[in-house]
Amino acid sequence: MAESLAEKAFLAGLGVFGYARENIKEFVGDLIKHGEASRAEGKKLVEDLAKKGEEERKFIARAVKEVIFKTSRVMNVASATKQEEREKKVDNIEDRVAKLEADLKAIRTATF
């Protein structure tokens, strides 16, 4: 009976973060009802699964935050790179305009 309970606890633990506490209680209630666990074992199982669910929730929250942080850093780097490219293009255009202005002035002041 303990092996069966351990196996079921393991399998339930794998997907526990997807279960609400009520689903866990219902699952454990069924185990007790069918004689696969005592009330004490059931209570401990509910506590263990709830704790495991909370740990999984925290783990997932940390992982999501990390992905968001890394993604935002990459996006900022890309934005900074694009900004540098734009600044270089503007500088290039300013240089070309200045050269054209100088050429135009030279043409206007040239004597033929």
Side-chain angles (χ1 to χ4, degrees), residues 89-100:
K89 286 181 181 180
V90 168
D91 289 345
N92 186 343
I93 291 169
E94 287 175 343
D95 291 344
R96 290 171 58 194
V97 168
K99 184 177 182 320
L100 289 172

Side-chain angles (χ1 to χ4, degrees), residues 98-112:
K99 184 177 182 320
L100 289 172
E101 287 174 339
D103 290 347
L104 182 59
K105 184 178 180 180
I107 291 171
R108 286 187 179 155
T109 58
T111 31
F112 292 100

